[in-house]
């Protein structure tokens, strides 16, 4: 269908097609129709407003501009616009008025888009930035990750009644997940850096989804089978974080790094909320096996989307525009996959050890709160189990919200010229000192409501760590981002295992105040180490 419109070079910012609207932008409709009889005019001889599609994909970039601070160049017009049958081409140099250009009363040039095809306009989902498609797919994989992980914490109650498991057996089943999870932290990073994040993360989701579906079958076969399946599930989930980190280090420019990682990690928090919310309903209506079958089957849907839309790096994506590739790479060439891991070099760098130690200090407090919070609510605040379960959702929601707020703040600071090193130190200091302050107040509060508020604020400020240490692996060694996260997260998982066990030991001989004092002390140690040795500069190439 032919499209006629009169376009002023003084009003390029208003060229957004309005569908049925008409607007007078230059010469009258009668004059236009004399010059260009094939032009399609609206009623009263007014030219139909049109939108220009720049050859270089300007529409795609403008659609994604809300996702990043504007730093790319702006196209400017001077005096002329050449006309093509389907697109308008502009020249920046001075030139005489050419065919298809109508002089206006003040002597400036007016251009007419003589013919265009509305069918050339891409649908909105094709204009969406490809790098943020990768981010959303990683977000959804982390959503599934925690949904499949927390469902056992709910289903274990009817399962233990059906199979007459003791408390010790229940603890053994819950801990068996970490056997596999610890095993693949570093291996997942090595595989991702060598073979690409798409292969490794896809493998992980399929592996843990299959293990989730097999859980009811293994439980019926016997306890040893169930322990093996839960460990297998941990193997699958263990590669998720290193593989994701590897992919985003290649796809996301530094100006968007914090908010992209914050969004992905908020998928974990929302996955916990979703799992804790839907598991009781499914168990009540369909029985406990339904939780594992339904949650596990969602992985197959995700995997199909992953195969279709995901690529390990921008250079592998045939549909990526040249313009977006420039935004992602910033003029540098993509590096080849890692073939050899320089372990000696990596472990000789103080910022790497700052990451490892800080991750340990961070996860000690985080795992204690998330593991023992229901017990604290029940024993200290005297909430019943139903109330405790509902209130356990609150910190996850708080973390999901504040992780994204912290991500936007961090990227804004970077875009305004603050060094990456200072941004990472500021955000992680909030992630350490915030929880330390609010946990220290728990011994002074008088009401359960204030105690819950302190816990929520503690977890909310903790979420700023997503823009601190969790973003730092890509800063200091983008080529080895998977390995670096595997190293630091191994320390983080060990902190969760030892911290959870140590809390039980402390409570047998002391009080909750002692538990919180240990966590606060580790938060302060982490703050000191981080601010002394961490950096946002690349130290591994």
């Amino acid at each position: 269908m032919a499209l006629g419109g009169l376009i002023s070079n003084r009003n390029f910012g208003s060229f957004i097609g309005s569908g049925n609207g008409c607007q007078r932008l230059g010469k009258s409709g009668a004059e236009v129709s004399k010059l260009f009889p094939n032009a399609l005019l609206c009623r009263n001889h007014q030219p139909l407003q049109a939108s220009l599609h720049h050859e270089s994909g300007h529409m795609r970039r403008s659609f994604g501009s809300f996702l990043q601070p504007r730093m790319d160049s702006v196209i400017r017009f001077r005096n002329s616009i050449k006309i093509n049958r389907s697109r308008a081409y502009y020249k920046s140099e001075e030139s005489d008025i050419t065919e298809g250009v109508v002089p206006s009363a003040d002597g400036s040039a007016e251009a007419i888009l003589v013919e265009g095809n509305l069918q050339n306009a891409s649908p909105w989902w094709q204009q969406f930035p490809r790098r943020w498609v990768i981010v959303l797919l990683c977000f959804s994989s982390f959503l599934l990750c925690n949904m499949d992980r927390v469902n056992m914490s709910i289903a274990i109650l009817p399962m233990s009644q059906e199979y007459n498991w003791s408390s010790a057996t229940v603890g053994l089943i819950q801990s068996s997940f970490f056997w596999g999870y610890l095993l693949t932290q570093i291996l997942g990073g090595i595989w991702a850096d060598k073979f690409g994040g798409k292969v490794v993360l896809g493998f992980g989701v399929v592996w843990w989804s299959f293990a989730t579906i097999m859980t009811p079958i293994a439980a019926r076969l016997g306890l040893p089978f169930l322990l093996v399946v839960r460990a297998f599930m941990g193997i699958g989930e263990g590669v998720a974080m290193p593989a994701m980190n590897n992919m985003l280090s290649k796809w996301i420019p530094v100006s968007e790094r914090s908010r992209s990682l914050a969004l992905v990690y908020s998928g974990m928090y929302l996955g916990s909320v979703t799992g804790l919310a839907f598991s009781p309903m499914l168990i009540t209506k369909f029985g406990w096996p339904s939780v594992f079958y339904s949650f596990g089957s969602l992985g197959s849907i995700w995997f199909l989307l992953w195969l279709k839309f995901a690529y390990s790096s921008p250079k592998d994506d045939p549909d990526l525009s040249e313009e977006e590739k420039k935004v992602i790479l910033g003029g540098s060439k993509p590096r080849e996959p890692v073939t050899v891991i320089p372990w000696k070099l990596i472990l000789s760098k103080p910022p790497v050890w700052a990451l490892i130690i800080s991750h340990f200090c961070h996860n000690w407090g985080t795992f204690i709160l998330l593991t023992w919070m229901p017990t604290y609510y029940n024993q200290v605040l005297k909430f019943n189990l139903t109330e405790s379960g509902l209130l356990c959702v609150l910190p996850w929601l708080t973390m999901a919200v504040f992780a994204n707020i912290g991500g936007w703040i961090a990227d804004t600071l970077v875009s305004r010229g603050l060094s990456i090193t200072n941004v990472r130190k500021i955000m992680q200091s909030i992630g350490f000192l915030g929880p330390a302050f609010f946990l220290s107040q728990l011994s002074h509060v008088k009401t359960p409501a204030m105690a819950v508020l302190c816990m929520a604020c503690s977890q909310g400020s903790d979420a700023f760590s997503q823009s601190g240490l969790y973003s730092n692996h890509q800063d200091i060694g983008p080529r080895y981002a998977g390995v670096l996260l595997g190293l630091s997260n191994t320390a983080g998982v060990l902190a969760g295992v030892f911290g959870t066990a140590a809390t039980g030991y402390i409570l047998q001989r002391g009080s909750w105040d002692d538990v919180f004092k240990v966590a606060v002390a580790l938060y302060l140690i982490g703050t000191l180490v981080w601010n002394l040795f961490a950096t946002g500069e690349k130290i591994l190439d």
Side-chain angles (χ1 to χ4, degrees), residues 141-218:
S141 71
F142 276 45
L143 183 80
L144 294 177
C145 176
N146 266 31
M147 282 178 63
D148 291 343
R149 186 189 301 186
V150 303
N151 58 12
M152 177 60 87
S153 64
I154 304 295
I156 197 72
L157 300 174
M159 291 174 73
S160 61
Q161 293 176 353
E162 180 175 335
Y163 295 110
N164 295 316
W165 290 332
S166 65
S167 297
T169 302
V170 169
L172 183 64
I173 294 169
Q174 293 279 45
S175 65
S176 61
F177 169 87
F178 290 100
W179 305 345
Y181 192 71
L182 271 171
L183 185 65
T184 52
Q185 288 297 312
I186 297 176
L187 285 176
I190 295 172
W191 294 336
D193 289 341
K194 284 189 174 183
F195 306 115
K198 177 179 179 177
V199 174
V200 178
L201 184 54
F203 157 80
V205 174
V206 170
W207 186 279
W208 87 58
S209 297
F210 180 72
T212 301
I213 294 173
M214 290 297 296
T215 299
I217 299 171

Side-chain angles (χ1 to χ4, degrees), residues 455-537:
M455 298 285 266
C457 290
S458 172
Q459 293 304 94
S461 53
D462 176 278
F464 280 75
S465 299
Q466 310 303 337
S467 303
L469 74 88
Y470 281 93
S471 298
N472 194 234
H473 309 83
Q474 298 180 25
D475 297 328
I476 65 176
R479 291 193 75 201
Y480 307 103
V483 169
L484 290 171
L485 184 61
L487 277 171
S488 71
N489 203 42
T490 297
V493 174
L494 288 173
V497 173
F498 294 145
T500 302
T503 298
Y505 180 82
I506 293 171
L507 289 175
Q508 286 181 346
R509 292 161 176 77
S511 66
W512 281 98
D513 284 346
D514 298 324
V515 172
F516 296 141
K517 285 176 182 177
V518 173
V520 168
L522 285 171
Y523 278 135
L524 295 177
I525 292 172
T527 305
L528 184 63
V529 170
W530 183 257
N531 282 280
L532 286 176
F533 300 107
T535 181
E537 305 302 320

